[in-house]
Amino acid sequence: MKLLLIISLILAVAIGTQARVNNDFNNCPEYFYRAHVPSGFQGIAKSDLFDRKKLPDGINVNDLSSPAYICQTFDGSNRFATLYDRGRRMPLYSAYIMDVKASESEKNCKRVNTFRVEPQLAYRGVTENMELVTDAKSGLQKYNWDKKIGERKEENRPMYLLRTSQALDYDYGNTTYDRGHLNPCGHHTVSRDEYKATFTLTNAVPMLPEINQVWSVYENEMINMLTDQKEEIYVITGIVPGNVPIKEGGLSAPTHVWNAYCHVDKNGKPKGVGAALVQNTMGSKIGKFNNIGDFQKKLQDLLGVINIELFSNGCKPEK
Ligand SMILES: *[C@@H]1O[C@H](CO)[C@@H](O)[C@H](O)[C@H]1NC(C)=O
């Protein structure tokens, strides 16, 4: 009996769908320097938007905790990590490893403009991959069919599940805001799936086109830091949430966008650390920080939290 249980557990892990949306980042620690998940962000997220009196039949309420920890998966593999605020339907940050040299970068990222969604923010039991809306809809429909969940109830329908669990293109329609990448395509070699994987709405926030432009100039400057492909630059890009909706009943634009990086040499030793911050308002300029402690204090003030630690040991060389 026990043996059977163990065998079926092993099988479930080996062949079953792996939840990539979870309550921690244990399935993708590789995107954080020395596997240190930034502290201080846990309390910022708002609770999910599902109506408890009309909870979809396929949803387990324990799977709705906010923030959601997304191991961003494309074509079956991890590509980066996102801390997702279900209530705001927006990422609080994305963490990734920059993998591009200046000669291989494509500054404008025009090759892909369809954004994907995260089916597991609706049902944990569906594909681990980010998908186009049409595919995500059929996946949710198939799940309902398999589990005999009726779609006569509006809240069991795929589109209700998707739009209540995350932002969709519709949320950006008729607004003056861009779908601004946190993990930018420009920090990944064009031929890699890491590049394509950045085009997912759980990695996007409403950014004024002007600020998106200012920010991308800074992102392009960062590319020049990577001189040797064996080095690594761990980057965390996040927001300070705002509360002015970009259209009625919709997403609120963040007040700020920020990032911090930890640059390690080919032996894994830190060789540089820094951060930047910009306000998401017309005419704003980028502020840069060479001291990560100063930046963390600034971020704590803006977010109204304590104990923000972005990198293991502040990305200082270990003694
Ligand atoms: C944009 O506005 C038009 C006209 O009011 C409306 O028909 C359309 O549904 C809106 N689209 C979005 C994405 O909000």
Side-chain angles (χ1 to χ4, degrees):
M1 197 58 195
K2 231 181 199 161
L3 188 66
L4 252 175
L5 186 71
I6 291 167
I7 290 172
S8 57
L9 273 176
I10 291 170
L11 277 177
V13 170
I15 62 173
T17 312
Q18 260 223 311
R20 298 302 170 109
V21 172
N22 228 313
N23 301 339
D24 55 49
F25 283 129
N26 291 350
N27 286 330
C28 52
E30 67 269 32
Y31 298 104
F32 302 94
Y33 172 58
R34 294 177 140 252
H36 167 88
V37 174
S39 62
F41 293 88
Q42 294 75 0
I44 297 170
K46 292 189 169 175
S47 22
D48 71 90
L49 300 175
F50 287 99
D51 181 348
R52 288 295 181 274
K53 293 196 203 90
K54 296 194 300 181
L55 201 64
D57 295 324
I59 281 187
N60 176 348
V61 75
N62 297 323
D63 291 344
L64 290 178
S65 60
S66 183
Y69 295 75
I70 307 177
C71 292
Q72 297 278 8
T73 307
F74 183 97
D75 199 15
S77 299
N78 289 346
R79 307 297 172 176
F80 62 103
T82 294
L83 187 70
Y84 194 75
D85 186 325
R86 285 181 174 274
R88 295 187 177 91
R89 295 185 298 143
M90 203 178 292
L92 294 173
Y93 65 69
S94 285
Y96 62 96
I97 297 172
M98 194 167 114
D99 65 39
V100 73
K101 281 199 294 197
S103 57
E104 290 154 3
S105 72
E106 192 198 44
K107 304 269 188 297
N108 299 319
C109 299
K110 289 281 184 254
R111 285 177 203 220
V112 188
N113 53 36
T114 42
F115 279 64
R116 290 169 194 258
V117 297
E118 178 50 68
Q120 288 195 356
L121 282 174
Y123 291 160
R124 291 265 174 101
V126 294
T127 177
E128 77 272 32
N129 288 315
M130 54 178 76
E131 284 189 323
L132 299 174
V133 169
T134 45
D135 297 329
K137 273 168 72 178
S138 26
L140 293 168
Q141 207 162 24
K142 182 175 182 305
Y143 186 93
N144 279 343
W145 179 262
D146 290 346
K147 306 272 171 190
K148 303 192 166 43
I149 296 169
E151 288 186 10
R152 222 178 280 170
K153 274 166 76 173
E154 195 213 348
E155 55 272 23
N156 290 340
R157 292 179 199 154
M159 266 329 272
Y160 180 94
L161 289 159
L162 287 176
R163 69 180 154 78
T164 310
S165 61
Q166 57 205 287
L168 303 176
D169 278 336
Y170 176 86
D171 291 287
Y172 290 85
N174 291 344
T175 78
T176 55
Y177 287 82
D178 282 354
R179 297 165 297 188
H181 283 78
L182 293 187
N183 172 9
C185 47
H187 280 182
H188 304 282
T189 309
V190 180
S191 57
R192 302 188 68 200
D193 284 341
E194 275 70 10
Y195 178 98
K196 294 182 202 144
T198 64
F199 290 87
T200 192
L201 283 157
T202 56
N203 178 47
V205 298
M207 276 175 89
L208 284 176
E210 189 206 13
I211 297 305
N212 204 1
Q213 190 53 42
V214 169
W215 190 249
S216 70
V217 171
Y218 166 66
E219 288 169 340
N220 290 338
E221 284 170 25
M222 287 179 73
I223 294 172
N224 298 322
M225 296 193 302
L226 198 66
T227 49
D228 180 335
Q229 205 71 303
K230 293 202 189 79
E231 298 178 347
E232 286 185 316
I233 301 183
Y234 293 85
V235 189
I236 304 166
T237 302
I239 60 154
V240 177
N243 48 28
V244 180
I246 63 172
K247 69 178 177 190
E248 202 174 313
L251 305 173
S252 292
T255 61
H256 299 74
V257 177
W258 55 268
N259 86 6
Y261 63 84
C262 175
H263 187 177
V264 302
D265 69 16
K266 55 180 191 254
N267 301 315
K269 267 177 91 177
K271 59 180 276 189
V273 58
L277 176 72
V278 70
Q279 248 183 297
N280 195 17
T281 49
M282 290 291 261
S284 298
K285 301 226 157 39
I286 303 237
K288 292 184 193 166
F289 296 75
N290 296 321
N291 182 310
I292 197 72
D294 291 347
F295 175 68
Q296 289 175 167
K297 278 200 200 98
K298 176 78 186 171
L299 197 53
Q300 287 180 177
D301 289 346
L302 290 169
L303 293 170
V305 298
I306 52 167
N307 297 337
I308 286 194
E309 194 183 7
L310 295 170
F311 299 115
S312 168
N313 195 33
C315 184
K316 288 195 291 275
E318 313 274 335
K319 294 268 157 60

Short mmCIF file of all heavy atoms in Angstrom, two decimals, residues 134-179:
data_model
loop_
_atom_site.label_atom_id
_atom_site.label_comp_id
_atom_site.label_asym_id
_atom_site.label_seq_id
_atom_site.Cartn_x
_atom_site.Cartn_y
_atom_site.Cartn_z
N THR A 134 -6.18 32.44 -26.98
CA THR A 134 -7.03 31.41 -27.60
C THR A 134 -6.67 30.01 -27.09
O THR A 134 -7.55 29.20 -26.80
CB THR A 134 -6.90 31.41 -29.14
OG1 THR A 134 -5.51 31.49 -29.46
CG2 THR A 134 -7.64 32.56 -29.76
N ASP A 135 -5.37 29.74 -26.94
CA ASP A 135 -4.94 28.42 -26.46
C ASP A 135 -5.27 28.26 -24.98
O ASP A 135 -5.68 27.18 -24.54
CB ASP A 135 -3.44 28.23 -26.69
CG ASP A 135 -3.09 28.25 -28.17
OD1 ASP A 135 -3.95 27.84 -28.99
OD2 ASP A 135 -1.97 28.69 -28.52
N ALA A 136 -5.08 29.35 -24.22
CA ALA A 136 -5.39 29.28 -22.79
C ALA A 136 -6.88 29.00 -22.59
O ALA A 136 -7.26 28.20 -21.73
CB ALA A 136 -5.00 30.59 -22.11
N LYS A 137 -7.71 29.62 -23.44
CA LYS A 137 -9.15 29.40 -23.35
C LYS A 137 -9.49 27.94 -23.62
O LYS A 137 -10.25 27.32 -22.88
CB LYS A 137 -9.89 30.28 -24.36
CG LYS A 137 -10.22 31.65 -23.82
CD LYS A 137 -10.69 32.60 -24.90
CE LYS A 137 -12.07 32.28 -25.40
NZ LYS A 137 -12.49 33.28 -26.43
N SER A 138 -8.91 27.36 -24.67
CA SER A 138 -9.25 25.96 -24.94
C SER A 138 -8.71 25.02 -23.87
O SER A 138 -9.35 24.02 -23.56
CB SER A 138 -8.86 25.50 -26.36
OG SER A 138 -7.81 26.22 -26.86
N GLY A 139 -7.57 25.37 -23.28
CA GLY A 139 -7.05 24.55 -22.18
C GLY A 139 -7.97 24.54 -20.97
O GLY A 139 -8.20 23.50 -20.36
N LEU A 140 -8.50 25.72 -20.65
CA LEU A 140 -9.41 25.83 -19.50
C LEU A 140 -10.73 25.10 -19.80
O LEU A 140 -11.30 24.43 -18.93
CB LEU A 140 -9.68 27.30 -19.16
CG LEU A 140 -8.46 28.08 -18.63
CD1 LEU A 140 -8.74 29.58 -18.61
CD2 LEU A 140 -8.07 27.60 -17.23
N GLN A 141 -11.16 25.20 -21.07
CA GLN A 141 -12.40 24.54 -21.49
C GLN A 141 -12.25 23.01 -21.38
O GLN A 141 -13.13 22.32 -20.88
CB GLN A 141 -12.64 24.91 -22.95
CG GLN A 141 -14.07 24.89 -23.38
CD GLN A 141 -14.23 25.68 -24.67
OE1 GLN A 141 -13.27 25.85 -25.43
NE2 GLN A 141 -15.43 26.16 -24.92
N LYS A 142 -11.09 22.53 -21.81
CA LYS A 142 -10.83 21.09 -21.76
C LYS A 142 -10.79 20.62 -20.30
O LYS A 142 -11.33 19.56 -19.97
CB LYS A 142 -9.50 20.76 -22.45
CG LYS A 142 -9.20 19.28 -22.47
CD LYS A 142 -7.95 18.96 -23.25
CE LYS A 142 -7.71 17.45 -23.31
NZ LYS A 142 -7.66 16.83 -21.97
N TYR A 143 -10.17 21.42 -19.44
CA TYR A 143 -10.12 21.09 -18.02
C TYR A 143 -11.54 20.99 -17.45
O TYR A 143 -11.88 20.04 -16.77
CB TYR A 143 -9.31 22.17 -17.29
CG TYR A 143 -9.04 21.87 -15.83
CD1 TYR A 143 -7.87 21.24 -15.44
CD2 TYR A 143 -9.96 22.25 -14.84
CE1 TYR A 143 -7.62 20.98 -14.09
CE2 TYR A 143 -9.72 21.98 -13.50
CZ TYR A 143 -8.54 21.35 -13.13
OH TYR A 143 -8.29 21.08 -11.81
N ASN A 144 -12.37 21.98 -17.77
CA ASN A 144 -13.77 21.95 -17.32
C ASN A 144 -14.47 20.69 -17.81
O ASN A 144 -15.19 20.03 -17.06
CB ASN A 144 -14.52 23.18 -17.85
CG ASN A 144 -14.27 24.42 -17.00
OD1 ASN A 144 -13.82 24.32 -15.87
ND2 ASN A 144 -14.57 25.58 -17.56
N TRP A 145 -14.27 20.35 -19.07
CA TRP A 145 -14.88 19.17 -19.68
C TRP A 145 -14.44 17.91 -18.93
O TRP A 145 -15.26 17.10 -18.50
CB TRP A 145 -14.49 19.13 -21.15
CG TRP A 145 -15.04 17.96 -21.89
CD1 TRP A 145 -14.37 16.80 -22.18
CD2 TRP A 145 -16.35 17.81 -22.45
NE1 TRP A 145 -15.18 15.95 -22.87
CE2 TRP A 145 -16.41 16.53 -23.05
CE3 TRP A 145 -17.50 18.63 -22.47
CZ2 TRP A 145 -17.56 16.06 -23.68
CZ3 TRP A 145 -18.63 18.16 -23.12
CH2 TRP A 145 -18.65 16.88 -23.71
N ASP A 146 -13.12 17.78 -18.74
CA ASP A 146 -12.57 16.59 -18.07
C ASP A 146 -13.10 16.46 -16.64
O ASP A 146 -13.32 15.37 -16.15
CB ASP A 146 -11.04 16.65 -18.01
CG ASP A 146 -10.42 16.46 -19.38
OD1 ASP A 146 -11.14 16.03 -20.32
OD2 ASP A 146 -9.21 16.75 -19.54
N LYS A 147 -13.26 17.59 -15.96
CA LYS A 147 -13.69 17.55 -14.55
C LYS A 147 -15.20 17.70 -14.42
O LYS A 147 -15.70 17.91 -13.30
CB LYS A 147 -13.01 18.68 -13.75
CG LYS A 147 -11.51 18.71 -13.86
CD LYS A 147 -10.86 17.83 -12.82
CE LYS A 147 -9.37 17.73 -13.13
NZ LYS A 147 -8.64 16.76 -12.37
N LYS A 148 -15.89 17.68 -15.56
CA LYS A 148 -17.36 17.81 -15.56
C LYS A 148 -17.82 19.10 -14.87
O LYS A 148 -18.77 19.11 -14.08
CB LYS A 148 -18.01 16.59 -14.90
CG LYS A 148 -17.60 15.28 -15.56
CD LYS A 148 -18.46 14.13 -15.10
CE LYS A 148 -18.30 12.90 -15.99
NZ LYS A 148 -16.91 12.58 -16.37
N ILE A 149 -17.12 20.17 -15.14
CA ILE A 149 -17.51 21.48 -14.61
C ILE A 149 -18.34 22.19 -15.68
O ILE A 149 -17.86 22.40 -16.80
CB ILE A 149 -16.25 22.31 -14.25
CG1 ILE A 149 -15.47 21.64 -13.12
CG2 ILE A 149 -16.64 23.75 -13.88
CD1 ILE A 149 -14.10 22.23 -12.87
N GLY A 150 -19.58 22.51 -15.33
CA GLY A 150 -20.48 23.10 -16.31
C GLY A 150 -20.17 24.56 -16.59
O GLY A 150 -19.83 25.30 -15.68
N GLU A 151 -20.30 24.95 -17.84
CA GLU A 151 -19.99 26.34 -18.19
C GLU A 151 -21.24 27.19 -18.35
O GLU A 151 -21.20 28.29 -18.89
CB GLU A 151 -19.11 26.40 -19.45
CG GLU A 151 -17.70 25.92 -19.17
CD GLU A 151 -16.75 26.09 -20.35
OE1 GLU A 151 -17.12 26.74 -21.34
OE2 GLU A 151 -15.63 25.54 -20.26
N ARG A 152 -22.38 26.66 -17.85
CA ARG A 152 -23.56 27.50 -17.88
C ARG A 152 -23.40 28.63 -16.86
O ARG A 152 -23.91 29.72 -17.05
CB ARG A 152 -24.82 26.68 -17.60
CG ARG A 152 -25.96 27.10 -18.53
CD ARG A 152 -27.20 26.29 -18.33
NE ARG A 152 -27.13 24.99 -19.00
CZ ARG A 152 -28.02 24.03 -18.81
NH1 ARG A 152 -29.03 24.21 -17.97
NH2 ARG A 152 -27.92 22.89 -19.44
N LYS A 153 -22.68 28.33 -15.78
CA LYS A 153 -22.34 29.37 -14.80
C LYS A 153 -21.27 30.27 -15.39
O LYS A 153 -20.21 29.77 -15.79
CB LYS A 153 -21.80 28.74 -13.52
CG LYS A 153 -22.87 28.32 -12.52
CD LYS A 153 -22.28 27.41 -11.45
CE LYS A 153 -21.47 28.18 -10.42
NZ LYS A 153 -21.04 27.30 -9.31
N GLU A 154 -21.54 31.55 -15.41
CA GLU A 154 -20.61 32.48 -16.04
C GLU A 154 -19.21 32.36 -15.47
O GLU A 154 -18.21 32.41 -16.19
CB GLU A 154 -21.11 33.92 -15.89
CG GLU A 154 -20.39 34.89 -16.82
CD GLU A 154 -20.20 36.27 -16.26
OE1 GLU A 154 -20.81 36.61 -15.22
OE2 GLU A 154 -19.39 37.03 -16.85
N GLU A 155 -19.13 32.19 -14.12
CA GLU A 155 -17.81 32.19 -13.49
C GLU A 155 -16.96 30.96 -13.82
O GLU A 155 -15.78 30.91 -13.50
CB GLU A 155 -17.93 32.41 -11.97
CG GLU A 155 -18.83 31.45 -11.24
CD GLU A 155 -20.28 31.90 -11.20
OE1 GLU A 155 -20.71 32.70 -12.06
OE2 GLU A 155 -21.01 31.43 -10.31
N ASN A 156 -17.56 29.96 -14.46
CA ASN A 156 -16.76 28.80 -14.88
C ASN A 156 -16.23 28.95 -16.30
O ASN A 156 -15.50 28.09 -16.78
CB ASN A 156 -17.60 27.51 -14.80
CG ASN A 156 -17.88 27.12 -13.36
OD1 ASN A 156 -17.17 27.55 -12.44
ND2 ASN A 156 -18.89 26.29 -13.15
N ARG A 157 -16.62 30.01 -16.96
CA ARG A 157 -16.21 30.17 -18.36
C ARG A 157 -14.77 30.68 -18.46
O ARG A 157 -14.34 31.52 -17.66
CB ARG A 157 -17.16 31.15 -19.08
CG ARG A 157 -18.54 30.55 -19.23
CD ARG A 157 -19.49 31.52 -19.93
NE ARG A 157 -20.87 31.10 -19.65
CZ ARG A 157 -21.91 31.91 -19.66
NH1 ARG A 157 -21.76 33.19 -19.97
NH2 ARG A 157 -23.10 31.45 -19.38
N PRO A 158 -14.04 30.16 -19.45
CA PRO A 158 -12.63 30.51 -19.60
C PRO A 158 -12.34 32.02 -19.59
O PRO A 158 -11.41 32.45 -18.91
CB PRO A 158 -12.27 29.90 -20.96
CG PRO A 158 -13.15 28.70 -21.04
CD PRO A 158 -14.45 29.12 -20.42
N MET A 159 -13.14 32.83 -20.27
CA MET A 159 -12.81 34.26 -20.31
C MET A 159 -13.00 34.91 -18.94
O MET A 159 -12.24 35.79 -18.55
CB MET A 159 -13.66 35.00 -21.36
CG MET A 159 -13.01 35.16 -22.70
SD MET A 159 -11.21 35.29 -22.74
CE MET A 159 -10.94 37.03 -22.55
N TYR A 160 -14.02 34.47 -18.20
CA TYR A 160 -14.21 35.00 -16.84
C TYR A 160 -13.00 34.63 -15.99
O TYR A 160 -12.45 35.47 -15.25
CB TYR A 160 -15.50 34.43 -16.23
CG TYR A 160 -15.77 34.92 -14.81
CD1 TYR A 160 -16.59 36.04 -14.59
CD2 TYR A 160 -15.19 34.29 -13.71
CE1 TYR A 160 -16.82 36.50 -13.29
CE2 TYR A 160 -15.42 34.75 -12.41
CZ TYR A 160 -16.24 35.86 -12.21
OH TYR A 160 -16.45 36.31 -10.93
N LEU A 161 -12.57 33.37 -16.09
CA LEU A 161 -11.41 32.90 -15.31
C LEU A 161 -10.16 33.71 -15.64
O LEU A 161 -9.41 34.10 -14.75
CB LEU A 161 -11.16 31.42 -15.60
CG LEU A 161 -12.19 30.45 -15.02
CD1 LEU A 161 -12.17 29.12 -15.76
CD2 LEU A 161 -11.92 30.24 -13.53
N LEU A 162 -9.97 33.96 -16.93
CA LEU A 162 -8.76 34.69 -17.34
C LEU A 162 -8.80 36.14 -16.90
O LEU A 162 -7.86 36.64 -16.28
CB LEU A 162 -8.55 34.60 -18.85
CG LEU A 162 -8.09 33.24 -19.38
CD1 LEU A 162 -8.03 33.26 -20.90
CD2 LEU A 162 -6.72 32.88 -18.80
N ARG A 163 -9.90 36.83 -17.17
CA ARG A 163 -9.87 38.27 -16.87
C ARG A 163 -9.97 38.58 -15.38
O ARG A 163 -9.60 39.66 -14.94
CB ARG A 163 -10.92 39.04 -17.69
CG ARG A 163 -12.35 38.80 -17.34
CD ARG A 163 -13.27 39.66 -18.26
NE ARG A 163 -14.57 39.05 -18.40
CZ ARG A 163 -15.53 39.10 -17.47
NH1 ARG A 163 -15.33 39.75 -16.35
NH2 ARG A 163 -16.67 38.50 -17.67
N THR A 164 -10.45 37.61 -14.59
CA THR A 164 -10.48 37.85 -13.16
C THR A 164 -9.14 37.51 -12.50
O THR A 164 -8.81 38.02 -11.44
CB THR A 164 -11.61 37.01 -12.51
OG1 THR A 164 -12.81 37.26 -13.26
CG2 THR A 164 -11.87 37.42 -11.07
N SER A 165 -8.37 36.66 -13.16
CA SER A 165 -7.10 36.24 -12.56
C SER A 165 -5.91 37.07 -13.01
O SER A 165 -4.85 37.01 -12.39
CB SER A 165 -6.83 34.76 -12.85
OG SER A 165 -6.74 34.52 -14.24
N GLN A 166 -6.05 37.84 -14.09
CA GLN A 166 -4.89 38.58 -14.61
C GLN A 166 -5.30 39.67 -15.59
O GLN A 166 -6.44 39.70 -16.03
CB GLN A 166 -3.93 37.62 -15.31
CG GLN A 166 -4.56 36.82 -16.44
CD GLN A 166 -3.82 35.52 -16.69
OE1 GLN A 166 -2.73 35.53 -17.22
NE2 GLN A 166 -4.41 34.40 -16.26
N ALA A 167 -4.36 40.55 -15.91
CA ALA A 167 -4.62 41.60 -16.90
C ALA A 167 -4.54 40.99 -18.30
O ALA A 167 -3.75 40.09 -18.56
CB ALA A 167 -3.59 42.72 -16.77
N LEU A 168 -5.40 41.47 -19.20
CA LEU A 168 -5.38 41.03 -20.59
C LEU A 168 -5.16 42.26 -21.48
O LEU A 168 -5.17 43.39 -21.00
CB LEU A 168 -6.71 40.35 -20.94
CG LEU A 168 -7.09 39.15 -20.04
CD1 LEU A 168 -8.47 38.61 -20.42
CD2 LEU A 168 -6.05 38.04 -20.14
N ASP A 169 -4.97 42.03 -22.77
CA ASP A 169 -4.77 43.15 -23.69
C ASP A 169 -5.88 44.19 -23.57
O ASP A 169 -5.65 45.39 -23.68
CB ASP A 169 -4.70 42.66 -25.14
CG ASP A 169 -3.32 42.14 -25.48
OD1 ASP A 169 -2.34 42.58 -24.82
OD2 ASP A 169 -3.21 41.31 -26.38
N TYR A 170 -7.10 43.69 -23.35
CA TYR A 170 -8.26 44.57 -23.21
C TYR A 170 -8.01 45.67 -22.19
O TYR A 170 -8.44 46.82 -22.37
CB TYR A 170 -9.48 43.74 -22.79
CG TYR A 170 -10.71 44.57 -22.53
CD1 TYR A 170 -11.57 44.92 -23.57
CD2 TYR A 170 -11.00 45.04 -21.25
CE1 TYR A 170 -12.68 45.71 -23.34
CE2 TYR A 170 -12.11 45.84 -21.00
CZ TYR A 170 -12.95 46.17 -22.05
OH TYR A 170 -14.03 46.96 -21.82
N ASP A 171 -7.29 45.34 -21.11
CA ASP A 171 -7.05 46.32 -20.05
C ASP A 171 -6.20 47.50 -20.51
O ASP A 171 -6.20 48.55 -19.87
CB ASP A 171 -6.38 45.63 -18.85
CG ASP A 171 -7.32 44.67 -18.16
OD1 ASP A 171 -8.25 45.15 -17.48
OD2 ASP A 171 -7.17 43.45 -18.34
N TYR A 172 -5.46 47.30 -21.57
CA TYR A 172 -4.61 48.37 -22.09
C TYR A 172 -5.29 49.11 -23.25
O TYR A 172 -4.81 50.16 -23.68
CB TYR A 172 -3.26 47.82 -22.55
CG TYR A 172 -2.39 47.35 -21.39
CD1 TYR A 172 -2.52 46.08 -20.85
CD2 TYR A 172 -1.44 48.21 -20.84
CE1 TYR A 172 -1.73 45.66 -19.79
CE2 TYR A 172 -0.63 47.80 -19.78
CZ TYR A 172 -0.79 46.53 -19.26
OH TYR A 172 0.00 46.12 -18.21
N GLY A 173 -6.40 48.54 -23.78
CA GLY A 173 -7.10 49.16 -24.91
C GLY A 173 -7.73 50.48 -24.51
O GLY A 173 -8.16 50.64 -23.37
N ASN A 174 -7.78 51.44 -25.42
CA ASN A 174 -8.37 52.77 -25.16
C ASN A 174 -7.69 53.48 -24.00
O ASN A 174 -8.32 54.24 -23.28
CB ASN A 174 -9.88 52.67 -24.86
CG ASN A 174 -10.69 52.27 -26.08
OD1 ASN A 174 -10.21 52.35 -27.21
ND2 ASN A 174 -11.91 51.84 -25.85
N THR A 175 -6.43 53.21 -23.79
CA THR A 175 -5.68 53.99 -22.79
C THR A 175 -4.44 54.54 -23.50
O THR A 175 -4.12 54.13 -24.62
CB THR A 175 -5.20 53.14 -21.59
OG1 THR A 175 -4.04 52.39 -21.97
CG2 THR A 175 -6.28 52.21 -21.09
N THR A 176 -3.75 55.45 -22.82
CA THR A 176 -2.54 56.01 -23.44
C THR A 176 -1.30 55.27 -22.94
O THR A 176 -0.19 55.75 -23.11
CB THR A 176 -2.41 57.50 -23.09
OG1 THR A 176 -2.44 57.61 -21.66
CG2 THR A 176 -3.54 58.32 -23.70
N TYR A 177 -1.50 54.12 -22.29
CA TYR A 177 -0.38 53.42 -21.68
C TYR A 177 0.13 52.24 -22.52
O TYR A 177 -0.65 51.55 -23.17
CB TYR A 177 -0.77 52.91 -20.29
CG TYR A 177 -0.87 54.04 -19.28
CD1 TYR A 177 -2.01 54.83 -19.19
CD2 TYR A 177 0.19 54.32 -18.44
CE1 TYR A 177 -2.09 55.87 -18.28
CE2 TYR A 177 0.13 55.36 -17.52
CZ TYR A 177 -1.02 56.13 -17.44
OH TYR A 177 -1.09 57.16 -16.54
N ASP A 178 1.44 52.03 -22.46
CA ASP A 178 2.08 50.87 -23.08
C ASP A 178 2.01 49.67 -22.15
O ASP A 178 1.90 49.83 -20.94
CB ASP A 178 3.59 51.14 -23.28
CG ASP A 178 3.88 52.04 -24.47
OD1 ASP A 178 2.95 52.36 -25.23
OD2 ASP A 178 5.07 52.39 -24.63
N ARG A 179 2.13 48.49 -22.73
CA ARG A 179 2.39 47.29 -21.94
C ARG A 179 3.90 47.26 -21.72
O ARG A 179 4.65 46.73 -22.52
CB ARG A 179 1.95 46.04 -22.70
CG ARG A 179 0.45 45.96 -22.99
CD ARG A 179 0.12 44.92 -24.03
NE ARG A 179 0.74 45.24 -25.32
CZ ARG A 179 0.50 44.60 -26.46
NH1 ARG A 179 -0.33 43.58 -26.48
NH2 ARG A 179 1.10 44.96 -27.57
#
